[in-house]
Amino acid sequence: MTIATHRFDALMNITARPPVVFVRGEGSYLWDQHGKRYLDFVQGWAVNCLGHAPPALVQALSQQAATLLTPSPAFYNEPSLALANALIERSGFDQVFFTNSGAEANEGAIKLARKYGSLHKSGAFEIITFQGGFHGRTLATMSASGKKAFEPLFEPKVPGFRKATLNDLSSVEALIGPQTVAVMLEPIQGEAGVWPATHQFLRDLRALTEQHGLLLILDEIQTGMGRTGKLFHYEHAGIAPDIMTLGKGIGGGVPLGALLATKQASCFAHGDQGGTYNGNPPMCAAGLAVLEAVSQPEFLKTVAERGHMLAAELQRVSARHGLGSVRGEGLLLALDLKRPIGATIVAEALGDGLLLNAPQPDALRFMPALNVTREQILIMTGGLDAILTRLGAARCVA
Ligand SMILES: *Cc1c(COP(=O)(O)O)cnc(C)c1O
């Protein structure tokens, strides 16, 4: 069998994919089956924080694969201990549960909050989440999400999620009742189009949840692991959440997620949580290689600096073409297009060998490798500028 003879419809048709098969990646570049090269500003959806096939991760993964794949989650293994210890040393949390995806980490956070409610808050189980939020595609995480398109799907939803408005403290306050146990949010709403919670809102939420004895759960699946210029985004706001979930960047390209909790919030008993592959050695070894790289102060400083540069270059492009503002933090940025041309730009860029993402019809999202170079940023913004010029010219002719 070759790529040309494979039936694409052997895979369930869950999303519109371009007729391109990626066969190789290195750093900020991908190659398709025809040998065409693409500059990648999607990076597996903010996943490959060290780019494609980073040597440190490849070595950790292959060495671990040749040493021990899995002894069973009912036994300790060294890589999961090493990664859990490294994570608690670098954060304000005391315990970790590893997962295979971000949704599974959030599902675990929801279970942990409900367990906490049953132990400490007379069975309170409601979690306040946010309009526009995205927490994953399991039934509970879809129910927790505030994504409009999810609303009619897979009814009935898992009960117990009430939606507040981001950056509006009184909307949260109004939803707090005797059944409330937690507030859960992304510090920057990624899938909604990169809409940040202000640092002040995060601080106010922390004060409010403390005042009411509620858990604060941060979904840092997209913002964590250095993406916004700090190892974890909550460091920008100077707050200490009770629970945090990680995914995407933590594996640097392999399926890994994590649920972290403070001693007080970490209340699972035997039998409450588990899974066959949770904390399996090769994924944790990969995660440790990623964490060692991204938690270096110099690395994080460079992420922040590249983020400022990317934002400045995008602003220049925006000014030239009459587009809107740039929002986000570090290397998680969006450009407001002010009109629904996102999909057209993404398609044009693909043709030009540039991978971009439009999370909303009127916005582009940029989530390059965290070690993207200045030159690669300029190549991308140059390419985007050329596409916008072309589209502008097309509009004038039409
Ligand atoms: C991607 C994402 C998830 C879901 O993670 P999966 O690994 O796709 O299950 C959850 N929350 C946020 C904020 C995300 O960006």
Side-chain angles (χ1 to χ4, degrees):
M1 295 281 270
T2 65
I3 288 170
T5 60
H6 288 319
R7 286 176 44 178
F8 283 18
D9 66 358
L11 289 169
M12 288 192 191
N13 187 19
I14 52 119
T15 190
R17 296 182 174 110
V20 172
V21 179
F22 287 112
V23 295
R24 191 166 76 80
E26 193 184 317
S28 282
Y29 287 95
L30 271 175
W31 284 262
D32 72 12
Q33 76 269 42
H34 307 298
K36 178 173 167 181
R37 190 175 81 147
Y38 300 78
L39 177 61
D40 186 3
F41 268 63
V42 173
Q43 287 289 353
W45 241 253
V47 163
N48 309 315
C49 44
L50 302 176
H52 292 282
L57 190 155
V58 170
Q59 203 210 335
L61 191 60
S62 46
Q63 200 169 318
Q64 188 56 47
T67 308
L68 175 64
L69 281 177
T70 185
S72 147
F75 298 118
Y76 288 113
N77 73 72
E78 211 276 325
S80 72
L81 286 167
L83 182 56
N85 276 275
L87 282 168
I88 64 174
E89 267 165 34
R90 289 166 172 82
S91 70
F93 301 95
D94 300 301
Q95 292 194 305
V96 185
F97 174 76
F98 290 114
T99 65
N100 305 288
S101 71
E104 193 189 358
N106 283 337
E107 187 86 20
I110 293 162
K111 285 171 67 176
L112 193 58
R114 286 189 174 199
K115 178 79 190 214
Y116 184 89
S118 78
L119 290 175
H120 304 298
K121 292 189 70 81
S122 325
F125 66 97
E126 281 183 0
I127 301 178
I128 298 171
T129 58
F130 288 82
Q131 301 292 350
F134 177 79
H135 298 295
R137 292 175 181 280
T138 64
L139 266 181
T141 55
M142 283 182 89
S143 307
S145 297
K147 189 172 160 145
K148 271 272 174 290
F150 282 179
E151 268 171 26
L153 301 178
F154 311 119
E155 292 292 298
K157 291 286 188 299
V158 175
F161 298 100
R162 309 185 68 188
K163 311 284 158 54
T165 306
L166 195 69
N167 294 324
D168 177 352
L169 198 70
S170 63
S171 77
V172 181
E173 237 167 335
L175 295 177
I176 297 175
Q179 297 298 343
T180 311
V181 68
V183 175
M184 175 174 181
L185 79 161
E186 308 160 77
I188 299 176
Q189 291 189 340
E191 297 310 302
V194 190
W195 293 102
T198 65
H199 298 168
Q200 189 57 46
F201 180 67
L202 292 173
R203 284 190 286 271
D204 290 346
L205 260 190
R206 179 66 285 190
L208 183 71
T209 48
E210 248 159 31
Q211 184 194 329
H212 289 269
L214 307 177
L215 298 172
L216 180 61
I217 305 173
L218 283 194
D219 175 347
E220 292 235 21
I221 288 164
Q222 202 158 134
T223 54
M225 302 306 289
R227 174 64 48 187
T228 69
K230 301 264 188 204
L231 187 55
F232 306 115
H233 185 280
Y234 69 77
E235 297 170 28
H236 288 291
I239 59 164
D242 303 292
I243 294 172
M244 173 173 74
T245 54
L246 297 172
K248 298 203 165 91
I250 189 180
V254 302
L256 179 66
L259 164 64
L260 295 89
T262 60
K263 198 181 304 154
Q264 193 214 2
S266 188
C267 56
F268 280 143
H270 289 182
D272 287 346
Q273 186 67 326
T276 303
Y277 287 119
N278 297 66
N280 81 99
M283 300 310 124
C284 289
L288 190 61
V290 169
L291 181 64
E292 277 171 358
V294 304
S295 61
Q296 299 297 329
E298 276 308 305
F299 186 94
L300 291 166
K301 239 177 77 187
T302 306
V303 172
E305 183 259 311
R306 295 288 140 83
H308 289 306
M309 179 193 164
L310 175 56
E313 290 302 320
L314 288 173
Q315 267 146 12
R316 233 193 292 277
V317 171
S318 176
R320 214 160 20 234
H321 296 277
L323 308 178
S325 60
V326 176
R327 54 181 188 255
E329 198 147 359
L331 286 171
L332 180 58
L333 296 175
L335 171 62
D336 179 0
L337 299 166
K338 291 211 294 194
R339 41 191 172 273
I341 53 172
T344 308
I345 294 175
V346 168
E348 289 287 318
L350 184 80
D352 292 354
L354 174 61
L355 298 182
L356 296 178
N357 166 254
Q360 300 294 324
D362 62 352
L364 290 178
R365 173 173 45 175
F366 304 88
M367 37 192 170
L370 300 183
N371 54 11
V372 68
T373 65
R374 292 197 182 96
E375 190 195 3
Q376 288 161 349
I377 289 173
L378 292 175
I379 295 171
M380 188 282 288
T381 50
L384 178 59
D385 190 71
I387 290 164
L388 288 163
T389 302
R390 219 152 67 211
L391 291 180
R395 233 190 349 265
C396 290
V397 172

